[in-house]
Amino acid sequence: MDIAPDAPALDPLRDRIQITRGDITLMDDVVEALTLSKPDRVLNLAYALGAGDSDPHPQVRLNILGMDNCFEASRILGIRRVVYASSLAVYGPQRLHGEHAVTEDDDLCLGTGIYAVSKIFNEHQADWYNRAFDMAITGIRPANITGPDKQRGSMNHVQCQVLPARNEAVSFPYADTMTLPLHVDDIAEVFLRVTLAEETHHAIYNSGGNSVSLRELADTVREFLPDAEVTFDEDEGGREKSGLFLMDNSRLVEEFEVEYAPFRQRVLQTINEVRRAEGLPEVG
C-alpha cells in the first residue's frame, strides 16, 4: 500500500506484487487494505524521511498517527506479527556515547529531532501494544541506508559513490565526517528474515553497518574510479559533529544469522548500477 502507487520507482515490481493506493494516516484506508489482502504479517516502512524540523504537523501525522493506525488495524483484525523501521537516529550523535558501540541494552535514546523522537515514540507504541494485547511487534533500527537511487535522509555517503559514478565532482566540508552506511540489499534481507519469523526473541534490533569516514569511502571509490573528483574543505572537524557511527548488531546476527556482503563489494555494486543507468561502461 502506498499513497503514490503510480510512482516510477515501483515499475520493476508491478508484475511481482499487488500494489494498492492508500494513506496510512487514514485509519479507514489501513483497515480496508488489511481486510482485503488478509495478510498474516504487516511490514510498515511509511515515514517522512529527510523532512527536517521546520514543518512538524505532517510529520507527526505520518510518523506517529500512521504507525498507530498500522498497529491498531492489525490488532483489530487479529494480525499479531507487525514489523516496522525504527532508526539509528534514536541514539542521537556519537559524541553522546563516546567511542562506544551502542547496543539495544544501553537504553540511551538521546535523539532530539522530530524524526528521531518519532522513532523513539514508535518504540514505546510497539511496547504498549505488545504488553496490552499480546502482539508480536518487532522494530529494526537501520543504519544509514545507502544505494544507487536514494534521494532523502542521510545523503553524504550516497553522493560520495553516486556522483563520481556519473563522472561528476563532489565536495564535502570535512574529510573525517563519520557515517554508518548499510547497503539497501542488506537491510532488505534483514527485514525479510525478521518479518517471516513466527516470533522474535526481542522487540528491537540494531542493524549495524560499516563505520567509515568520508575520506575512507572516497578512497574506496577511487579504487574503481581513479579519476573521481571527491574533495574536502577541511581534513578535520567533522568527527565530533557526526551522527551515530558505532552500532553493535550482535543480537541480530546471533538470532537471524545475518551476514552482510563486504562493503567494498557493495560500493562497486552501487557504482556499476549507476553507470549502467547512465549508459556508461562498468568498472571493477
Side-chain angles (χ1 to χ4, degrees):
M1 184 182 83
D2 196 272
I3 199 170
D6 298 324
L10 295 173
D11 289 346
L13 304 175
R14 297 191 189 282
D15 61 346
R16 299 168 56 193
I17 62 175
Q18 179 182 345
I19 303 171
T20 183
R21 188 192 184 284
D23 183 346
I24 198 171
T25 69
L26 302 177
M27 183 64 165
D28 287 352
D29 281 15
V30 182
V31 170
E32 181 179 10
L34 296 185
T35 301
L36 293 175
S37 57
K38 297 180 174 59
D40 57 11
R41 304 284 196 282
V42 174
L43 171 61
N44 180 22
L45 302 178
Y47 230 74
L49 189 62
D53 292 353
S54 60
D55 190 10
H57 178 71
Q59 294 188 69
V60 170
R61 189 163 179 260
L62 172 59
N63 299 349
I64 303 300
L65 178 61
M67 189 70 75
D68 203 68
N69 286 344
C70 178
F71 293 164
E72 178 68 1
S74 298
R75 180 193 72 81
I76 291 171
L77 297 173
I79 305 167
R80 289 189 71 241
R81 286 292 288 130
V82 181
V83 177
Y84 69 98
S86 183
S87 172
L88 88 168
V90 301
Y91 289 111
Q94 185 68 48
R95 59 179 172 76
L96 300 179
H97 305 275
E99 293 295 309
H100 167 66
V102 296
T103 73
E104 299 89 342
D105 293 329
D106 287 333
D107 198 27
L108 291 174
C109 294
L110 305 175
T112 57
I114 291 176
Y115 179 82
V117 173
S118 295
K119 294 294 191 182
I120 293 169
F121 192 80
N122 294 155
E123 293 185 11
H124 287 293
Q125 289 174 284
D127 183 57
W128 297 329
Y129 271 86
N130 285 342
R131 286 189 288 108
F133 304 112
D134 190 33
M135 295 183 70
I137 302 175
T138 308
I140 299 168
R141 294 170 176 161
N144 301 130
I145 304 307
T146 196
D149 55 358
K150 185 178 181 182
Q151 298 182 18
R152 299 179 185 87
S154 59
M155 288 297 296
N156 54 10
H157 51 94
V158 177
Q159 295 164 341
C160 194
Q161 301 170 76
V162 169
L163 295 181
R166 294 176 181 159
N167 297 330
E168 297 178 17
V170 62
S171 181
F172 302 100
Y174 301 104
D176 66 348
T177 295
M178 298 295 296
T179 184
L180 191 66
L182 180 64
H183 193 272
V184 61
D185 288 354
D186 291 317
I187 195 63
E189 178 73 16
V190 169
F191 275 112
L192 176 67
R193 293 190 184 206
V194 174
T195 301
L196 292 181
E198 292 293 338
E199 299 281 347
T200 58
H201 296 166
H202 305 278
I204 196 74
Y205 294 86
N206 289 344
S207 75
N210 302 272
S211 183
V212 64
S213 70
L214 290 182
R215 178 194 289 111
E216 293 168 330
L217 180 54
D219 288 343
T220 301
V221 170
R222 291 192 190 100
E223 290 184 40
F224 307 113
L225 298 167
D227 297 328
E229 294 184 53
V230 185
T231 58
F232 304 95
D233 298 334
E234 303 285 346
D235 284 339
E236 299 179 355
R239 189 180 180 91
E240 63 272 17
K241 300 177 182 178
S242 301
L244 191 84
F245 56 84
L246 296 174
M247 175 195 274
D248 182 276
N249 68 346
S250 300
R251 176 182 290 185
L252 183 73
V253 171
E254 291 170 4
E255 184 174 345
F256 293 96
E257 301 181 350
V258 172
E259 183 177 356
Y260 298 141
F263 185 58
R264 182 176 177 274
Q265 174 183 321
R266 291 303 197 195
V267 172
L268 177 59
Q269 176 184 339
T270 296
I271 289 172
N272 280 332
E273 287 184 27
V274 171
R275 291 181 73 83
R276 281 196 299 271
E278 295 288 325
L280 298 169
E282 295 185 27
V283 298

